[in-house]
Amino acid sequence: MRILLTGSKGQVGSCLRDRLPENWELIASDSQTLNITDAHNVHNMVKTFEPDVIINAAGYTKVDAAETDKAKAFAVNATGTLNLAQAARAIGARLIHLSTEQVFDGHHHVILTENMAPNPLNVYGNSKLAGELLALNAHVDTAVIRTSWVYSEHGHNFVKIMLQKGLETSTIRVVDDQIGCPTYAGDLAEAIIRLAALTNPARGIMHFAGSQQMSWADFAQRIFAEAAEIDERYKQVKVERIATADYQSAATRPEFGILDSRTIQNILPEPVADTPLAHIIAKLLA
């Protein structure tokens, strides 16, 4: 199996590199080695390497910054995805593309299935939805995986932010009226690998997220509880639960972003189980 991975230094990309089977051939690219917004660059890379599968883990993910940087968000998340889909089609490769729960508005507080109509509330969500549609229309052999609230031992994420803030202050204000499913990037990477390995490849839109529903404040509480088992300083940290209206941010986010992961879990030969949060906390505090 020959894999072209974009966004190889991000959370999911890093976890994919850690877990990819040793007998698979990998070319791992990032924004410095492959500018996915440059169609000529993308086609040359794909034509030269001739991958069996392109995994697009690249993306403009700065949700608040996207509100004032719309052109760049759409260039990466929409145009870049289209470039990869067209290049994949040209050589007969499959495309696995990562998207987000933020293509939904979350107003109805129902579990989100793949056939529900998207309605993004922010520029980031709109750019990711555009990427989905462009890729699916450009190349029939495309699988879109929507995920949510990604965290890991790599990169910039909520768990690492909370652990750092917990050493700096005794009380942390955290939003309590946005509900989602935290997703460990390593579990998502495992699902992608199993999907890529299928002899009868799945196509279309699929959801993959952690199995536990919680608010950001709930998540913070769990992080500190696990961290306190390793470092007593975290026992002193208090989570102050606040409303979204009390937290200033440029982008509007979904109130309820629970993704139904049954489709992809049923497709895979073996479902992917949640890695315990304690394992990731232990890695980060080691």
PDB file of all heavy atoms in Angstrom, residues 184-202:
ATOM      1  N   TYR A 184      -9.928  11.275  20.418  1.00  0.00           N
ATOM      2  CA  TYR A 184      -8.474  11.110  20.450  1.00  0.00           C
ATOM      3  C   TYR A 184      -7.977  10.886  19.024  1.00  0.00           C
ATOM      4  O   TYR A 184      -8.466  10.007  18.302  1.00  0.00           O
ATOM      5  CB  TYR A 184      -8.095   9.945  21.342  1.00  0.00           C
ATOM      6  CG  TYR A 184      -6.617   9.631  21.347  1.00  0.00           C
ATOM      7  CD1 TYR A 184      -5.673  10.644  21.527  1.00  0.00           C
ATOM      8  CD2 TYR A 184      -6.150   8.332  21.159  1.00  0.00           C
ATOM      9  CE1 TYR A 184      -4.316  10.369  21.518  1.00  0.00           C
ATOM     10  CE2 TYR A 184      -4.798   8.045  21.155  1.00  0.00           C
ATOM     11  CZ  TYR A 184      -3.883   9.075  21.335  1.00  0.00           C
ATOM     12  OH  TYR A 184      -2.535   8.808  21.315  1.00  0.00           O
ATOM     13  N   ALA A 185      -6.996  11.690  18.616  1.00  0.00           N
ATOM     14  CA  ALA A 185      -6.484  11.621  17.247  1.00  0.00           C
ATOM     15  C   ALA A 185      -5.931  10.248  16.902  1.00  0.00           C
ATOM     16  O   ALA A 185      -5.982   9.822  15.744  1.00  0.00           O
ATOM     17  CB  ALA A 185      -5.412  12.692  17.043  1.00  0.00           C
ATOM     18  N   GLY A 186      -5.408   9.543  17.895  1.00  0.00           N
ATOM     19  CA  GLY A 186      -4.892   8.199  17.655  1.00  0.00           C
ATOM     20  C   GLY A 186      -5.989   7.218  17.279  1.00  0.00           C
ATOM     21  O   GLY A 186      -5.793   6.336  16.435  1.00  0.00           O
ATOM     22  N   ASP A 187      -7.173   7.376  17.894  1.00  0.00           N
ATOM     23  CA  ASP A 187      -8.311   6.519  17.545  1.00  0.00           C
ATOM     24  C   ASP A 187      -8.794   6.836  16.128  1.00  0.00           C
ATOM     25  O   ASP A 187      -9.109   5.919  15.353  1.00  0.00           O
ATOM     26  CB  ASP A 187      -9.449   6.716  18.542  1.00  0.00           C
ATOM     27  CG  ASP A 187      -9.079   6.292  19.952  1.00  0.00           C
ATOM     28  OD1 ASP A 187      -8.153   5.468  20.104  1.00  0.00           O
ATOM     29  OD2 ASP A 187      -9.711   6.783  20.903  1.00  0.00           O
ATOM     30  N   LEU A 188      -8.842   8.112  15.800  1.00  0.00           N
ATOM     31  CA  LEU A 188      -9.224   8.517  14.446  1.00  0.00           C
ATOM     32  C   LEU A 188      -8.225   7.990  13.424  1.00  0.00           C
ATOM     33  O   LEU A 188      -8.615   7.484  12.363  1.00  0.00           O
ATOM     34  CB  LEU A 188      -9.313  10.044  14.375  1.00  0.00           C
ATOM     35  CG  LEU A 188      -9.624  10.667  13.012  1.00  0.00           C
ATOM     36  CD1 LEU A 188     -10.906  10.111  12.421  1.00  0.00           C
ATOM     37  CD2 LEU A 188      -9.698  12.190  13.141  1.00  0.00           C
ATOM     38  N   ALA A 189      -6.938   8.069  13.740  1.00  0.00           N
ATOM     39  CA  ALA A 189      -5.901   7.554  12.841  1.00  0.00           C
ATOM     40  C   ALA A 189      -6.082   6.055  12.621  1.00  0.00           C
ATOM     41  O   ALA A 189      -5.943   5.558  11.490  1.00  0.00           O
ATOM     42  CB  ALA A 189      -4.518   7.845  13.419  1.00  0.00           C
ATOM     43  N   GLU A 190      -6.409   5.331  13.679  1.00  0.00           N
ATOM     44  CA  GLU A 190      -6.619   3.885  13.562  1.00  0.00           C
ATOM     45  C   GLU A 190      -7.805   3.593  12.647  1.00  0.00           C
ATOM     46  O   GLU A 190      -7.764   2.667  11.818  1.00  0.00           O
ATOM     47  CB  GLU A 190      -6.842   3.272  14.939  1.00  0.00           C
ATOM     48  CG  GLU A 190      -6.958   1.768  14.949  1.00  0.00           C
ATOM     49  CD  GLU A 190      -5.733   1.053  14.395  1.00  0.00           C
ATOM     50  OE1 GLU A 190      -4.603   1.496  14.673  1.00  0.00           O
ATOM     51  OE2 GLU A 190      -5.912   0.051  13.662  1.00  0.00           O
ATOM     52  N   ALA A 191      -8.875   4.374  12.776  1.00  0.00           N
ATOM     53  CA  ALA A 191     -10.048   4.191  11.914  1.00  0.00           C
ATOM     54  C   ALA A 191      -9.689   4.464  10.453  1.00  0.00           C
ATOM     55  O   ALA A 191     -10.128   3.730   9.549  1.00  0.00           O
ATOM     56  CB  ALA A 191     -11.175   5.112  12.368  1.00  0.00           C
ATOM     57  N   ILE A 192      -8.886   5.486  10.206  1.00  0.00           N
ATOM     58  CA  ILE A 192      -8.482   5.821   8.842  1.00  0.00           C
ATOM     59  C   ILE A 192      -7.644   4.696   8.243  1.00  0.00           C
ATOM     60  O   ILE A 192      -7.828   4.312   7.079  1.00  0.00           O
ATOM     61  CB  ILE A 192      -7.699   7.149   8.835  1.00  0.00           C
ATOM     62  CG1 ILE A 192      -8.619   8.314   9.206  1.00  0.00           C
ATOM     63  CG2 ILE A 192      -7.065   7.398   7.465  1.00  0.00           C
ATOM     64  CD1 ILE A 192      -7.881   9.609   9.486  1.00  0.00           C
ATOM     65  N   ILE A 193      -6.721   4.163   9.025  1.00  0.00           N
ATOM     66  CA  ILE A 193      -5.867   3.069   8.540  1.00  0.00           C
ATOM     67  C   ILE A 193      -6.713   1.844   8.194  1.00  0.00           C
ATOM     68  O   ILE A 193      -6.521   1.220   7.138  1.00  0.00           O
ATOM     69  CB  ILE A 193      -4.790   2.726   9.590  1.00  0.00           C
ATOM     70  CG1 ILE A 193      -3.767   3.869   9.691  1.00  0.00           C
ATOM     71  CG2 ILE A 193      -4.089   1.409   9.249  1.00  0.00           C
ATOM     72  CD1 ILE A 193      -2.854   3.777  10.901  1.00  0.00           C
ATOM     73  N   ARG A 194      -7.648   1.505   9.054  1.00  0.00           N
ATOM     74  CA  ARG A 194      -8.507   0.344   8.794  1.00  0.00           C
ATOM     75  C   ARG A 194      -9.378   0.591   7.556  1.00  0.00           C
ATOM     76  O   ARG A 194      -9.643  -0.335   6.783  1.00  0.00           O
ATOM     77  CB  ARG A 194      -9.373   0.044  10.013  1.00  0.00           C
ATOM     78  CG  ARG A 194      -8.568  -0.411  11.223  1.00  0.00           C
ATOM     79  CD  ARG A 194      -9.464  -0.773  12.392  1.00  0.00           C
ATOM     80  NE  ARG A 194      -8.691  -0.934  13.613  1.00  0.00           N
ATOM     81  CZ  ARG A 194      -9.201  -1.284  14.790  1.00  0.00           C
ATOM     82  NH1 ARG A 194     -10.501  -1.509  14.899  1.00  0.00           N
ATOM     83  NH2 ARG A 194      -8.429  -1.398  15.861  1.00  0.00           N
ATOM     84  N   LEU A 195      -9.817   1.832   7.371  1.00  0.00           N
ATOM     85  CA  LEU A 195     -10.618   2.170   6.199  1.00  0.00           C
ATOM     86  C   LEU A 195      -9.775   2.065   4.931  1.00  0.00           C
ATOM     87  O   LEU A 195     -10.226   1.531   3.915  1.00  0.00           O
ATOM     88  CB  LEU A 195     -11.167   3.589   6.347  1.00  0.00           C
ATOM     89  CG  LEU A 195     -12.291   3.997   5.393  1.00  0.00           C
ATOM     90  CD1 LEU A 195     -13.576   3.242   5.718  1.00  0.00           C
ATOM     91  CD2 LEU A 195     -12.532   5.503   5.477  1.00  0.00           C
ATOM     92  N   ALA A 196      -8.540   2.563   5.006  1.00  0.00           N
ATOM     93  CA  ALA A 196      -7.645   2.517   3.841  1.00  0.00           C
ATOM     94  C   ALA A 196      -7.305   1.084   3.447  1.00  0.00           C
ATOM     95  O   ALA A 196      -7.052   0.796   2.277  1.00  0.00           O
ATOM     96  CB  ALA A 196      -6.368   3.292   4.141  1.00  0.00           C
ATOM     97  N   ALA A 197      -7.300   0.185   4.418  1.00  0.00           N
ATOM     98  CA  ALA A 197      -6.910  -1.207   4.171  1.00  0.00           C
ATOM     99  C   ALA A 197      -8.020  -2.045   3.549  1.00  0.00           C
ATOM    100  O   ALA A 197      -7.769  -3.159   3.082  1.00  0.00           O
ATOM    101  CB  ALA A 197      -6.446  -1.853   5.473  1.00  0.00           C
ATOM    102  N   LEU A 198      -9.240  -1.530   3.512  1.00  0.00           N
ATOM    103  CA  LEU A 198     -10.362  -2.303   2.984  1.00  0.00           C
ATOM    104  C   LEU A 198     -10.175  -2.612   1.501  1.00  0.00           C
ATOM    105  O   LEU A 198      -9.800  -1.739   0.714  1.00  0.00           O
ATOM    106  CB  LEU A 198     -11.676  -1.533   3.178  1.00  0.00           C
ATOM    107  CG  LEU A 198     -12.171  -1.336   4.612  1.00  0.00           C
ATOM    108  CD1 LEU A 198     -13.424  -0.478   4.614  1.00  0.00           C
ATOM    109  CD2 LEU A 198     -12.440  -2.670   5.286  1.00  0.00           C
ATOM    110  N   THR A 199     -10.449  -3.841   1.120  1.00  0.00           N
ATOM    111  CA  THR A 199     -10.346  -4.212  -0.301  1.00  0.00           C
ATOM    112  C   THR A 199     -11.539  -3.687  -1.096  1.00  0.00           C
ATOM    113  O   THR A 199     -11.422  -3.400  -2.283  1.00  0.00           O
ATOM    114  CB  THR A 199     -10.267  -5.744  -0.452  1.00  0.00           C
ATOM    115  OG1 THR A 199     -11.361  -6.339   0.257  1.00  0.00           O
ATOM    116  CG2 THR A 199      -8.957  -6.270   0.120  1.00  0.00           C
ATOM    117  N   ASN A 200     -12.681  -3.566  -0.430  1.00  0.00           N
ATOM    118  CA  ASN A 200     -13.844  -2.927  -1.057  1.00  0.00           C
ATOM    119  C   ASN A 200     -14.027  -1.567  -0.392  1.00  0.00           C
ATOM    120  O   ASN A 200     -14.717  -1.450   0.633  1.00  0.00           O
ATOM    121  CB  ASN A 200     -15.110  -3.781  -0.865  1.00  0.00           C
ATOM    122  CG  ASN A 200     -15.019  -5.089  -1.604  1.00  0.00           C
ATOM    123  OD1 ASN A 200     -14.602  -5.127  -2.756  1.00  0.00           O
ATOM    124  ND2 ASN A 200     -15.404  -6.171  -0.939  1.00  0.00           N
ATOM    125  N   PRO A 201     -13.384  -0.528  -0.928  1.00  0.00           N
ATOM    126  CA  PRO A 201     -13.318   0.754  -0.237  1.00  0.00           C
ATOM    127  C   PRO A 201     -14.685   1.414  -0.051  1.00  0.00           C
ATOM    128  O   PRO A 201     -15.554   1.342  -0.921  1.00  0.00           O
ATOM    129  CB  PRO A 201     -12.424   1.597  -1.149  1.00  0.00           C
ATOM    130  CG  PRO A 201     -12.503   0.956  -2.483  1.00  0.00           C
ATOM    131  CD  PRO A 201     -12.673  -0.504  -2.215  1.00  0.00           C
ATOM    132  N   ALA A 202     -14.847   2.024   1.120  1.00  0.00           N
ATOM    133  CA  ALA A 202     -16.065   2.779   1.413  1.00  0.00           C
ATOM    134  C   ALA A 202     -15.961   4.168   0.795  1.00  0.00           C
ATOM    135  O   ALA A 202     -14.881   4.747   0.701  1.00  0.00           O
ATOM    136  CB  ALA A 202     -16.247   2.883   2.917  1.00  0.00           C
TER     137      ALA A 202
END
